[in-house]
Amino acid sequence: HTRCFGTKDLFFYSSVNSEVYSVLSSSSLHSLDQSGQSSVDSAHLHLLHLVTVAHLVQVLLTFTAGEPSMDQDGEESEEERLTCQLYGRLRDHLGSRCLPDVSSGWRLWRCVRAGVLPFLRTAALFFHYMNSASPPADLLGTGPGQWEALCSYLSLPSNLLLLYQNHRTLLEPWCCHPGVGQVLRGGGVLVRFPRESNRLIDLPEDYSILINQASSFTCPRSGGDKSRAPTLCLVCGCMLCSQSYCCQTEVEGEDVGACTAHTFTCGAGIGLFLRVRESQVLFVAGKTKGCFYPPPYLDDYGETDPGLKRGNPLHLCSERYQKIERLWRQHGIAEVIGHAQEANQTLVAIDWQHL
């Protein structure tokens, strides 16, 4: 595993990405025996253990001590004891300035369980689709036994804190990385777990609010002149001066418009924009592909108003906007563009890179 990731680099990667890259760089994780049950190759199980321990450390390093305290019933469990032990080791390496003192093992274990559960679910999905290993019946529901079912399916102990016993030597190099202390002391963006699902920006219910915002938007490169085609990024909310030579930028040796350039910094080449003065949604994929999509704003008759020609008041349709957001979350934007260009060849001739 050290050939694929250095011990320090692995800690900074997304835990899911680290697991996927590690497994795909080797042979498959699961092999089926004659009984049809999944078994785990010992070498690849070590990779899974390593990434899981790294994620445990990530969760504990981002633990918020200011959360409301809750009473704990009964004696301290083994999970709570080992969680406190791991947190104490991390605190010894980083110091009290980075990690506060926490005496409640129950709160720590509760935080770890909530933070690691999405990783376990994603890892189980990855292994299922990669190897077609049938999940147990308990894993198909949302009952109280899901944690045990996930750990069993992934060949992990139900008490994940037992894993770090075999990886103690990695704690110090992870914690001593200068970036860790810097972020924990407020020198960067601290990502907490479990992470919230990504979503598009909130749009106003009344379209006139967007029109007023667009009318006051000035081109950032033309000395205060009004933008002819103000375009709102639905991913981050940035207003752009689209379809204008003034805001063209060079990307990979080619001059592209503001929207196309923005996709490479905001959406890894995929962009969703609302052309405010046209009441039109723009999908962009790379430099040469794009299409127009019905906007989420409708009039009182349930119709869109392309180009704002009718001038009827427009209001946000939540169902339409959720459909756009679902396409984005499911990585369906490029597919929609492909289908649109196949059905309408005139879209292929448009110079999308200049938008």
Side-chain angles (χ1 to χ4, degrees):
H1 65 270
T2 53
R3 295 181 181 179
C4 300
F5 300 98
T7 55
K8 298 178 181 179
D9 296 332
L10 176 61
F11 179 73
F12 284 98
Y13 273 94
S14 162
S15 300
V16 175
N17 289 342
S18 299
E19 182 62 36
V20 171
Y21 295 154
S22 300
V23 171
L24 293 182
S25 65
S26 303
S27 57
S28 78
L29 178 73
H30 287 284
S31 60
L32 296 179
D33 57 24
Q34 294 180 353
S35 65
Q37 301 296 323
S38 64
S39 58
V40 183
D41 179 85
S42 59
H44 299 135
L45 181 60
H46 178 73
L47 286 174
L48 179 59
H49 286 184
L50 177 64
V51 177
T52 304
V53 172
H55 194 45
L56 289 174
V57 174
Q58 286 178 319
V59 174
L60 286 175
L61 291 182
T62 58
F63 172 76
T64 303
E67 295 178 351
S69 180
M70 299 179 65
D71 295 334
Q72 176 189 5
D73 297 328
E75 297 181 357
E76 185 180 50
S77 65
E78 184 183 14
E79 290 89 348
E80 297 166 9
R81 180 181 62 80
L82 292 177
T83 306
C84 275
Q85 186 180 98
L86 175 56
Y87 186 80
R89 288 181 175 273
L90 297 176
R91 197 164 180 266
D92 291 340
H93 291 309
L94 288 166
S96 58
R97 183 181 175 186
C98 294
L99 294 180
D101 184 20
V102 179
S103 58
S104 174
W106 180 83
R107 291 180 61 197
L108 286 171
W109 169 239
R110 178 169 167 263
C111 174
V112 166
R113 188 177 177 116
V116 173
L117 187 58
F119 165 73
L120 296 181
R121 288 172 176 164
T122 307
L125 282 173
F126 169 64
F127 297 145
H128 168 67
Y129 285 110
M130 181 179 179
N131 305 288
S132 300
S134 300
D138 293 340
L139 198 56
L140 302 178
T142 58
Q146 190 181 65
W147 175 273
E148 290 74 14
L150 281 169
C151 292
S152 175
Y153 181 71
L154 297 170
S155 299
L156 296 172
S158 58
N159 182 3
L160 295 183
L161 274 300
L162 294 173
L163 298 177
Y164 101 90
Q165 303 286 349
N166 297 326
H167 299 282
R168 294 182 181 182
T169 56
L170 294 178
L171 297 182
E172 184 174 0
W174 281 341
C175 294
C176 291
H177 190 286
V180 174
Q182 180 181 357
V183 172
L184 293 178
R185 288 190 293 268
V189 179
L190 185 63
V191 178
R192 301 188 184 279
F193 299 92
R195 298 184 63 179
E196 294 184 3
S197 178
N198 292 332
R199 57 192 307 269
L200 298 180
I201 63 171
D202 294 327
L203 291 177
E205 196 277 336
D206 191 344
Y207 195 70
S208 62
I209 296 177
L210 287 179
I211 296 177
N212 291 334
Q213 291 179 359
S215 63
S216 60
F217 174 71
T218 58
C219 174
R221 294 189 178 183
S222 62
D225 292 341
K226 300 293 183 181
S227 175
R228 297 180 180 178
T231 304
L232 179 68
C233 176
L234 296 178
V235 177
C236 68
C238 180
M239 189 73 77
L240 304 169
C241 183
S242 175
Q243 204 171 353
S244 178
Y245 289 103
C246 58
C247 287
Q248 282 193 348
T249 307
E250 184 175 325
V251 175
E252 298 176 351
E254 184 178 359
D255 290 335
V256 298
C259 288
T260 303
H262 185 72
T263 62
F264 286 91
T265 59
C266 180
I270 300 294
L272 299 83
F273 304 94
L274 177 63
R275 294 160 61 94
V276 180
R277 291 183 179 172
E278 289 78 17
S279 184
Q280 189 178 59
V281 170
L282 168 66
F283 289 166
V284 177
K287 299 180 182 178
T288 59
K289 296 181 180 180
C291 73
F292 299 111
Y293 196 81
Y297 283 93
L298 306 176
D299 59 18
D300 293 338
Y301 302 99
E303 298 178 349
T304 61
D305 187 9
L308 302 177
K309 295 179 180 179
R310 291 196 300 270
N312 294 331
L314 300 176
H315 302 279
L316 180 66
C317 176
S318 300
E319 291 77 12
R320 280 178 172 251
Y321 195 44
Q322 289 173 2
K323 182 179 179 180
I324 295 174
E325 186 175 65
R326 189 160 52 248
L327 284 173
W328 174 65
R329 282 181 169 178
Q330 297 176 351
H331 305 280
I333 301 300
E335 183 179 358
V336 170
I337 293 174
H339 290 325
Q341 292 191 346
E342 288 179 2
N344 187 355
Q345 291 297 318
T346 59
L347 294 175
V348 180
I350 298 177
D351 293 330
W352 299 103
Q353 70 272 20
H354 293 155
L355 294 182

